[in-house]
């Protein structure tokens, strides 16, 4: 398919700059594939669309304060560093700005030496591999020195760091939030449990590749960046049993969805595993795992928009997006939600 098939015009004022005060008060567009209908709700109504026996799957990855500001050891020139993903031990893939002025062997100092990074090599796509040095625990140093890496289309300051975390975020590693989960509150999750819905977790550490624009004209030419995932044995068993008993599996977010489809693709079943996935889901993909998807509104021509279009149809999703624009829904990370039901 052509990338232009997933394009749309979005008024800039509909890009949400700050989160709502109440997480679950976001609006929710319900797309019903079976009946070919679109309905308008608030997110707290999601409980009415869940039923006893459903499995609700969350991505428990936690965003790390991955944006650092430092200076070169030799010249004292300012350098901005964005962590992308951990390769092994203290080696990370990062973006450096200005990258053209960074040479192999350059040492960058953060926080008057609390943390340093040495540039090991540069990859073809402009990403650097650096090795960090520090005393104590790396994540503790990040908490002291780093800031939250908000997407470039958000220009407002985030007053409360936890609003860019889901309430169930647990395992540090993402450089962007799995934003579909931002609408849940602890109270709403408890109400969902009380209804008889089983909640289980996966991990996918969200990387830059999820949000990078597609630069090719044909979907088949796009190459995804890999992201780390985990599915534990306990939750694999819950999902396996749900499939056997024909219970519905509802994924919260495209990141959760990519874990489930990656595991199924690899093993033909829900088998506990961990590793790296670069799965790219777009129309024509044969689905295996989920019966419903909770998601946000995504950027034009993005791989995330292609994924949700694949789950139902491009025609229905683009119709839903057009209606959301007419009704002035809030878009992207801090925006409103969509629930796609089969």
């Amino acid at each position: 398919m052509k990338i232009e098939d997933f394009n749309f015009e979005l008024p800039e004022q509909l890009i949400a700059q700050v989160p709502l005060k109440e997480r679950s008060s976001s609006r929710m567009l319900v797309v019903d594939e079976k009946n070919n209908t679109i309905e308008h709700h608030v997110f707290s109504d999601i409980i009415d669309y869940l039923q006893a026996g459903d499995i609700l799957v969350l991505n428990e990855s936690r965003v790390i304060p991955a944006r650092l500001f430092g200076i070169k050891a030799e010249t004292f020139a300012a350098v901005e560093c964005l962590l992308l993903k951990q390769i092994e031990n203290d080696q990370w893939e990062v973006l450096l700005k200005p990258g053209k002025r960074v040479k192999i062997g350059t040492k960058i100092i953060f926080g008057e030496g609390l943390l340093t990074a040495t540039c090991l090599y540069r990859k073809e796509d402009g990403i650097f591999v650096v090795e960090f040095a520090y005393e104590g625990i790396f994540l503790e140093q990040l908490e002291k020195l780093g800031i939250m890496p908000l997407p470039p289309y958000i220009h407002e300051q985030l007053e409360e760091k936890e609003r860019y975390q889901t309430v169930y975020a647990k395992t540090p590693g993402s450089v962007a939030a799995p934003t579909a989960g931002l609408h849940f509150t602890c109270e709403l999750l408890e109400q969902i449990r009380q209804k008889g819905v089983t909640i289980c977790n996966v991990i996918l550490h969200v990387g830059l590749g999820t949000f990078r624009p597609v630069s090719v004209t044909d979907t088949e030419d796009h190459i995804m960046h890999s992201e780390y995932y985990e599915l534990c044995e306990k939750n694999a068993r819950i999902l396996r049993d749900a499939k056997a008993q024909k219970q519905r599996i509802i994924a919260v977010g495209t990141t959760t969805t990519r874990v489930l489809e990656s595991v199924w693709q690899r093993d033909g079943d829900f088998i506990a595993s961990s590793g790296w996935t670069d799965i790219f889901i777009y129309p024509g993909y044969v689905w295996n795992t989920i019966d419903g998807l909770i998601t946000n509104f995504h950027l034009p021509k993005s791989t995330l928009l292609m994924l949700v279009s694949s789950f139902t149809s491009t025609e229905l999703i683009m119709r839903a997006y057009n209606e959301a624009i007419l009704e002035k829904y809030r878009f992207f990370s801090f925006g409103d939600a969509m629930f796609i039901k089969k």
Side-chain angles (χ1 to χ4, degrees):
M1 298 186 71
K2 299 301 181 184
I3 303 301
E4 197 61 36
D5 294 340
F6 304 94
N7 197 13
F8 61 92
E9 293 295 327
L10 180 70
E12 189 173 349
Q13 64 267 27
L14 297 186
I15 301 175
Q17 293 295 315
V18 294
L20 296 180
K21 184 176 180 180
E22 299 294 331
R23 290 177 183 259
S24 61
S25 65
S26 298
R27 298 167 77 185
M28 180 176 67
L29 197 72
V30 177
V31 177
D32 186 330
E33 180 186 71
K34 183 178 180 180
N35 296 309
N36 197 36
T37 58
I38 297 170
E39 297 179 355
H40 303 277
H41 293 268
V42 295
F43 188 78
S44 55
D45 292 342
I46 190 65
I47 194 167
D48 297 328
Y49 289 92
L50 300 173
Q51 57 198 39
D54 285 349
I55 312 296
L56 187 68
V57 191
L58 313 175
N59 178 8
E60 68 172 37
S61 181
R62 184 172 179 82
V63 185
I64 59 175
R67 192 178 297 278
L68 293 162
F69 295 91
I71 58 172
K72 293 181 186 177
E74 292 184 357
T75 64
F76 303 108
V79 179
E80 180 181 339
C81 176
L82 175 64
L83 278 64
L84 300 181
K85 69 180 182 184
Q86 186 177 18
I87 301 173
E88 58 179 359
N89 300 324
D90 293 316
Q91 293 185 13
W92 284 72
E93 288 188 356
V94 303
L95 286 178
L96 298 176
K97 189 189 295 184
K100 292 181 179 179
R101 299 180 183 177
V102 177
K103 300 177 181 178
I104 306 308
T106 296
K107 184 177 180 180
I108 305 168
I109 300 171
F110 306 99
E112 299 182 345
L114 287 175
L115 184 68
T116 64
T118 301
C119 181
L120 301 181
Y121 58 92
R122 181 174 184 166
K123 303 176 72 174
E124 290 183 357
D125 53 5
I127 292 173
F128 289 85
V129 174
V130 303
E131 185 164 21
F132 286 101
Y134 52 91
E135 290 186 3
I137 299 172
F138 180 69
L139 286 175
E140 290 183 356
Q141 299 296 0
L142 267 192
E143 288 293 337
K144 293 177 186 176
L145 303 173
I147 63 173
M148 227 29 118
L150 294 178
Y153 49 76
I154 293 178
H155 309 297
E156 299 288 333
Q157 289 290 110
L158 183 62
E159 294 184 1
E160 185 184 349
K161 285 196 304 183
E162 286 301 305
R163 286 301 275 111
Y164 195 55
Q165 305 278 13
T166 61
V167 296
Y168 48 81
K170 181 179 178 183
T171 308
S174 282
V175 299
T179 55
L182 294 178
H183 306 284
F184 287 95
T185 64
C186 294
E187 293 77 14
L188 180 56
L189 287 170
E190 183 56 33
Q191 291 171 12
I192 290 170
R193 288 189 186 94
Q194 292 294 327
K195 193 168 184 178
V197 176
T198 299
I199 297 175
C200 70
N201 298 326
V202 298
I203 296 170
L204 184 130
H205 291 322
V206 187
L208 181 70
T210 300
F211 301 96
R212 268 192 162 176
V214 178
S215 57
V216 297
T217 58
D218 196 296
T219 55
E220 293 184 2
D221 297 326
H222 179 67
I223 299 174
M224 295 284 286
H225 285 251
S226 61
E227 295 165 310
Y228 180 79
Y229 75 89
E230 292 181 15
L231 174 65
C232 71
E233 174 56 36
K234 175 185 174 183
N235 290 320
R237 187 167 56 250
I238 291 172
L239 293 164
R240 197 179 307 126
D241 291 346
K243 270 293 180 187
Q245 297 169 23
K246 296 186 173 5
Q247 295 168 281
R248 293 196 309 170
I249 296 174
I250 312 296
V252 178
T254 57
T255 60
T256 298
T257 303
R258 294 179 68 237
V259 175
L260 297 177
E261 288 294 314
S262 295
V263 171
W264 188 277
Q265 286 286 302
R266 174 170 296 185
D267 302 299
D269 199 355
F270 292 113
I271 306 298
S273 62
S274 63
W276 298 86
T277 179
D278 60 357
I279 190 171
F280 180 21
I281 299 173
Y282 57 92
Y285 179 82
V286 178
W287 286 83
N288 302 291
T289 61
I290 67 172
D291 305 286
L293 173 61
I294 297 169
T295 186
N296 276 19
F297 291 92
H298 304 295
L299 276 72
K301 299 193 286 188
S302 65
T303 60
L304 305 183
L305 180 54
M306 294 174 203
L307 185 153
V308 297
S309 297
S310 170
F311 185 60
T312 172
S313 74
T314 304
E315 183 277 329
L316 183 55
I317 289 299
M318 297 312 291
R319 181 157 63 90
Y321 269 58
N322 288 333
E323 184 155 338
I325 291 169
L326 287 173
E327 295 295 326
K328 294 182 168 50
Y329 274 63
R330 303 165 77 247
F331 275 65
F332 306 159
S333 294
F334 288 138
D336 295 316
M338 175 187 289
F339 176 46
I340 307 170
K341 61 191 295 283
K342 291 289 189 181

